[in-house]
Amino acid sequence: MMRVLGLETTCDETSAAIVMMRPGAGGEILANEVLSQIAEHAAYGGVVPEIAARAHVDVLDRLIRRALDTSGMKLKDIDGIAAAAGPGLVGGVIVGLTAGKSLALALRKPFLAINHLEGHALTARLTDGVAFPYLLLLVSGGHTQLLAVRGVGDYVRLGTTLDDAIGEAFDKIAKMLGLPYPGGPMVEKAALNGNPERFNLPRPMMGRANADFSLSGLKTAVRIEAEKHAPLSRQDVADLCASFQAAIVDVIADRVRMALRAFHEQIGPPTALVIAGGVAANGAIRRAMSRFANEVGLHLVVPSPALCTDNGAMIAWAGIERLGLGLIDDLTFAPRPRWPLDVHAAPSLNGKA
Ligand code: KG4
Ligand code: ZN
């Protein structure tokens, strides 16, 4: 039996979680305390790094204590301390990393420096016991990637975004249309009452042989339509949201199809298609992926929204996987604001992992 404490502070969620692994029985989340900073950042329409770092400092200790209480564990019962060491906002990363190292030092327990993206990537193994290798669509506010997950620490990037992340595009469209932050869920909600065919928006990259994304042209097209029809009625906003979402869904389906093709060529058949990251909460995207998986006969795994957005359980689980393989880190491990999962892939053009 193995129990690991996981700390997440790379963006605007502070989280401490305890996950247990029983050999043969898989993982079990004993506590997953998450505090979102949405309220602190809402007035600025986006995450303010300085505010985020301070908020992490303010609440992390309390969340660790709460995770211990919820799980009924004492610190001495913990077998390892895992902290997200990047990629992300460096001020926040330092907070979680320092807390994790200090606990590991004081308790004389193994320390595990976790790549935040690996946390997202391995979550499907915690929730559904998915076997390697699988195709991962990672879509959040900071990341948009298609990855072949071959093993712990073994990733091949099949596609990435050349500009904005998909969640970022949702957030920017929302801001443009006067919807509150964070925009993704608001755009989805507005789209429910909209006509997806009213605006004929571009589907950037569709039909290209690679599996990359580009969102800036689509974003600009929405801006042009919004300006053309200003002042926007409620219906205009709904129609723009619906049309934008329909374009995104088409693009994702096409890009995933390309990535699957590359997966078969480079690696062989995947065991599953996994979606992770905050954007995976989007119903239209989920439905499209479900249709696609059915069509190609692939098992689709989408962790619950609480485990798709940033959380400590995914960091603890990645810690368990690494600890099980003896991949322990040194207490000198430095924060990595940029930290690609696929070390052989060319640096992404948007400067994010
Ligand atoms: O994974 P996450 O919580 O944080 C990181 O970015 O790492 O993802 C948050 C992103 C935001 O951009 C948010 O607008 C987007 O996920 N999002 C959605 C939906 N819910 C969250 N985008 C589209 N539709 C949604 N329902
Ligand atoms: Zn994330």
Side-chain angles (χ1 to χ4, degrees):
M1 186 149 50
M2 221 187 315
R3 296 189 198 99
V4 167
L5 170 70
L7 307 178
E8 163 58 40
T9 57
T10 62
C11 191
D12 60 344
E13 261 97 26
T14 320
S15 181
I18 297 169
V19 175
M20 174 170 73
M21 152 99 141
R22 280 201 200 89
E28 188 187 332
I29 298 172
L30 303 180
N32 190 19
E33 305 293 329
V34 184
L35 213 78
S36 173
Q37 303 173 4
I38 283 176
E40 279 94 325
H41 301 290
Y44 305 92
V47 178
V48 184
E50 187 56 30
I51 294 177
R54 255 178 241 199
H56 290 306
V57 172
D58 284 345
V59 300
L60 185 57
D61 284 4
R62 209 187 320 147
L63 291 184
I64 294 171
R65 208 160 300 142
R66 228 195 269 166
L68 289 166
D69 288 347
T70 307
S71 63
M73 297 285 141
K74 299 250 164 13
L75 276 173
K76 68 172 172 44
D77 304 323
I78 303 293
D79 300 299
I81 316 286
L89 302 171
V90 70
V93 171
I94 288 171
V95 175
L97 195 55
T98 308
K101 286 177 183 173
S102 314
L103 280 170
L105 181 66
L107 300 165
R108 299 202 179 122
K109 304 277 184 178
F111 173 69
L112 306 134
I114 304 298
N115 183 316
H116 173 90
L117 301 175
E118 179 155 67
H120 281 301
L122 298 178
T123 299
R125 290 169 54 75
L126 163 64
T127 57
D128 294 76
V130 178
F132 299 122
Y134 52 91
L135 175 60
L136 173 73
L137 170 66
L138 175 57
V139 275
S140 72
H143 319 285
T144 292
Q145 296 187 14
L146 279 155
L147 291 157
V149 183
R150 294 198 295 194
V152 175
D154 184 5
Y155 301 88
V156 179
R157 199 183 73 199
L158 301 170
T160 188
T161 178
L162 306 179
D163 37 62
D164 288 352
I166 293 182
E168 191 178 1
F170 267 93
D171 294 339
K172 287 179 178 171
I173 296 296
K175 201 171 186 178
M176 207 185 281
L177 301 178
L179 299 170
Y181 170 86
M186 298 301 157
V187 170
E188 182 178 13
K189 207 167 145 208
L192 288 175
N193 304 313
N195 173 5
E197 283 162 13
R198 175 162 164 212
F199 297 99
N200 187 14
L201 300 173
R203 269 76 173 151
M205 307 299 276
M206 236 171 105
R208 296 274 183 105
N210 64 29
D212 288 336
F213 293 82
S214 168
L215 282 317
S216 66
L218 175 56
K219 201 178 55 192
T220 304
V222 174
R223 172 171 298 128
I224 290 169
E225 292 294 348
E227 283 167 3
K228 219 192 288 179
H229 294 83
L232 298 175
S233 69
R234 247 182 120 98
Q235 194 56 50
D236 293 333
V237 170
D239 292 344
L240 274 169
C241 287
S243 302
F244 166 76
Q245 192 170 265
I248 287 275
V249 163
D250 285 351
V251 167
I252 292 179
D254 179 71
R255 306 289 75 205
V256 171
R257 192 181 295 278
M258 287 305 160
L260 183 60
R261 192 172 295 173
F263 198 116
H264 276 278
E265 278 166 13
Q266 294 176 32
I267 293 144
T271 62
L273 167 61
V274 175
I275 318 181
V279 180
N282 184 285
I285 294 172
R286 280 175 179 250
R287 282 190 296 279
M289 286 298 97
S290 163
R291 275 196 304 276
F292 174 76
N294 267 332
E295 178 199 319
V296 298
L298 207 52
H299 177 46
L300 177 70
V301 176
V302 192
S304 66
L307 292 175
C308 275
T309 51
D310 292 349
N311 66 88
M314 70 182 193
I315 304 301
W317 173 253
I320 285 182
E321 295 243 38
R322 297 186 76 84
L323 186 56
L325 296 170
L327 299 170
I328 294 164
D329 292 293
D330 202 88
L331 292 179
T332 56
F333 198 100
R336 295 190 185 169
R338 290 183 188 190
W339 188 2
L341 271 183
D342 178 351
V343 289
H344 303 294
S348 69
L349 297 175
N350 67 2
K352 297 164 192 153

